[in-house]
Amino acid sequence: MQAGVVSWQARQVEAAMEGLFLMLEEFCSLVDMIRSDTSQILEENLPLLKAKAVEIRGVYARVDRLEAFVKMVGRHAAFLEALVVQAEQEHGAFPQVLQRWLRSVGVPSFQNRPSAPAPAGYQLPALYRTEDFFPGDPRDPRPPAP
């Protein structure tokens, strides 16, 4: 009877070892798959990611320059708006042709008002040129503006 018990225990040990060998084989195949994926990541994907990171830094720099340009344009627009308000205050809000027409119609507020002296020539303030900040596209067939 002991021989039967020993052979039964031996079969159980063999079956357990068989299961362990199968799990070891699966583990080894998983390790091989991870190694190949890691190699692919290191050799192929990582250089692509580095190139994209360099490219995105260039995009960030362009966005920063564009933000600075928009701020500068905003300052110039505010400056020109202030000049327009000042000119309207100095020369009246209505154009001279409209004022003459209103005087001829007989609107009293325009008849007694002394005519403003002839405005001196207007000198446009030096502003920016968009072409200086955004050079033309080399593929654009149109020549750049002078």
Side-chain angles (χ1 to χ4, degrees):
M1 184 122 182
Q2 255 185 352
V5 172
V6 172
S7 68
W8 177 76
Q9 288 176 344
R11 279 185 285 192
Q12 280 187 335
V13 168
E14 281 181 17
M17 287 177 58
E18 213 37 65
L20 287 175
F21 283 134
L22 283 174
M23 286 193 287
L24 182 62
E25 260 185 62
E26 287 176 8
F27 176 75
C28 288
S29 67
L30 283 174
V31 167
D32 288 340
M33 190 169 36
I34 290 171
R35 281 185 187 143
S36 69
D37 286 350
T38 303
S39 296
Q40 179 185 3
I41 288 170
L42 291 175
E43 293 171 5
E44 296 174 14
N45 297 350
L46 198 57
L48 291 174
L49 286 173
K50 284 182 180 180
K52 290 294 180 185
V54 169
E55 184 179 326
I56 201 74
R57 276 189 226 120
V59 170
Y60 289 153
R62 289 177 65 192
V63 167
D64 290 343
R65 287 192 309 266
L66 184 60
E67 284 178 347
F69 178 76
V70 167
K71 285 180 185 177
M72 183 205 48
V73 169
R75 286 191 307 269
H76 283 230
F79 172 71
L80 289 175
E81 181 67 24
L83 287 177
V84 168
V85 168
Q86 179 184 358
E88 286 176 347
Q89 289 172 349
E90 289 175 1
H91 303 290
F94 293 109
Q96 283 187 340
V97 173
L98 184 58
Q99 286 179 4
R100 279 188 232 134
W101 180 77
L102 288 172
R103 279 190 208 117
S104 68
V105 171
V107 177
S109 65
F110 286 98
Q111 288 180 350
N112 298 333
R113 187 172 177 194
S115 62
Y122 178 73
Q123 182 67 28
L124 183 66
L127 299 176
Y128 65 93
R129 287 176 35 98
T130 306
E131 295 83 11
D132 294 341
F133 293 89
F134 299 101
D137 187 356
R139 296 171 289 171
D140 191 1
R142 294 175 291 168

